[in-house]
Structure formats: C-alpha cells, structure tokens
Amino acid sequence: MVMDITSHTHHISQQYNIELEAIRTHLSEMGGMAQRQVNDAIQALIDADVERAEQVVRSDTKVNTMEVAIDEECVRILARRQPAASDLRLVIAVTKAITDLERIGDEATKIARQAIAMNKDGLSPRGYIEVRHIGGHVSRMLQDALDAFARLDMQLALTVVQTDKQVDMEYSTAMRELVTFMIEDPRSITRVLNIMWSLRALERIGDHARNLAQYVIYLVNGEDVRHANLEQITENVNAKEE
C-alpha cells in the first residue's frame, strides 16, 4: 500500500487518529529544534559567537528530552493499538527518525563546542569558506528532509539523498585541502584541526538527513532503501510514482 498524507484519517477511533497525528506533529517540532541547533552552531562558528554557541549546547537537553517523550508515545501506540500496514510504518519511521534527530543535535553541539574552544584560544575562523559552503548544503538537506517527512514527498526525499553524495565529495575535497594547508603552515595545525572536526560533524549531519529522507521512502511505499545505492533508490522512487 502506497501511503499519502490522508492515510491516517480513516480510523473508527478518533482518539487513534489523534495519537498518530500527535507523533507526526511532535516529530516536526523536534526537527525544528534540531534545525535551529544546526543553523545556530554553524553561525556561531563562522562569527566566533560564544553566546550563541553556548545556547546550542544548552538546547541539546531539550532535544534529548523530546526524543524520550516521542519514543514513549510510539511505544504506547504499539502496545494499545497494535498498528498494521501504513500505521505501523509510520510508528517505526518516527522511532527511527527521532534517533537521527537526536544525533543531529549531538553533532551540532560538537560544532558549538569547537566554536567556544576556538574563541578561547583566539583562533577565530571568521569567513571560513568550507564551513559556510558545506554548512549551507547540510542545513538545506535537513530542511528538505523534514519537509519531505511532513508532506510524504518522495521526490523531495530523493533530492536529499542525491545532495548527500555531493556533500560527501565536497567534504573529501575540503579535507584534502586543509591537510595540505597544515603541511605548508604548521602554525595553523590547531586551528585547522578544529575546523576539520567541525566539517566532520557537518558531514555526519548530512548523513542523518539522508537517513530521514530514506525513512520517507519507506513510509510511503514500504521499501527499505537504507542499503541501496543512489541509482537503485532513484529507480525505486520513480517506479512507484509512475
């Protein structure tokens, strides 16, 4: 059964409908929190904004708390409603998605901590083009993945998966360039290592955004594409929408 945005409005129990809609809504809220964490962490690093970075670190507790709360909601639905078909896929997809969102929050916190450490050491990375460029891609990936989840949009989800390949290539290129820079100027090693750790965190956020997009595909058509390559995922999505 291919799922669409109205698939959970047909139950006799209105309370069941409310419970299913609630986990979708709470997932969206958690996604918004994670998105703000990522954007603020990137900006804090670029601007050497310690206050903003510290806010990102503090907000991680809220994301963690929300993960636990949504997980408990999903467990209650599984225990009380014993969902099947698309309803079961929704609950499973949400439980997986909140784990990725929590880890996105962790990665954003790592970037924020790098911003704090670099500021204390007087190693401001203002205008660092690699962070700004890859950070922009990753932030857009996360936003698109969350939108795809909200709208059950497989084409948008596919775009996220495709973008992840581009981010991976740009990340590899940036790392090679930074290693070369460190070799040419050993005085830059501490600063560049901090930037490299931040870029690694951004690359991981991109991976988690890709995972969210893959859950959308699973949610809509029931196909688990976590271990499929890009060509297979593209073929799967296009075949289902023909």
Side-chain angles (χ1 to χ4, degrees), residues 34-49 52-53 56-57 104-105 107-115 131 198 202 205:
Q35 178 86 59
R36 286 191 294 275
Q37 270 192 295
V38 171
N39 292 342
D40 285 347
I42 293 169
Q43 205 60 48
L45 185 62
I46 292 172
D47 294 340
D49 187 338
R52 179 175 287 188
V56 172
V57 174
I104 285 171
E107 297 297 336
T109 300
K110 290 178 185 178
I111 297 170
R113 291 189 189 281
Q114 292 294 338
V131 171
S198 298
L202 288 172
I205 291 170

Side-chain angles (χ1 to χ4, degrees), residues 101-151:
L101 288 174
E102 189 275 332
R103 290 175 180 169
I104 285 171
D106 288 345
E107 297 297 336
T109 300
K110 290 178 185 178
I111 297 170
R113 291 189 189 281
Q114 292 294 338
I116 295 169
M118 293 178 76
N119 184 272
K120 287 181 179 179
D121 294 336
L123 300 172
S124 172
R126 289 182 185 275
Y128 233 89
I129 190 170
E130 291 89 352
V131 171
R132 188 185 300 275
H133 186 67
I134 294 177
H137 281 312
V138 167
S139 178
R140 185 63 190 177
M141 282 178 65
L142 178 55
Q143 182 63 62
D144 285 347
L146 293 170
D147 287 347
F149 214 112
R151 304 201 304 260

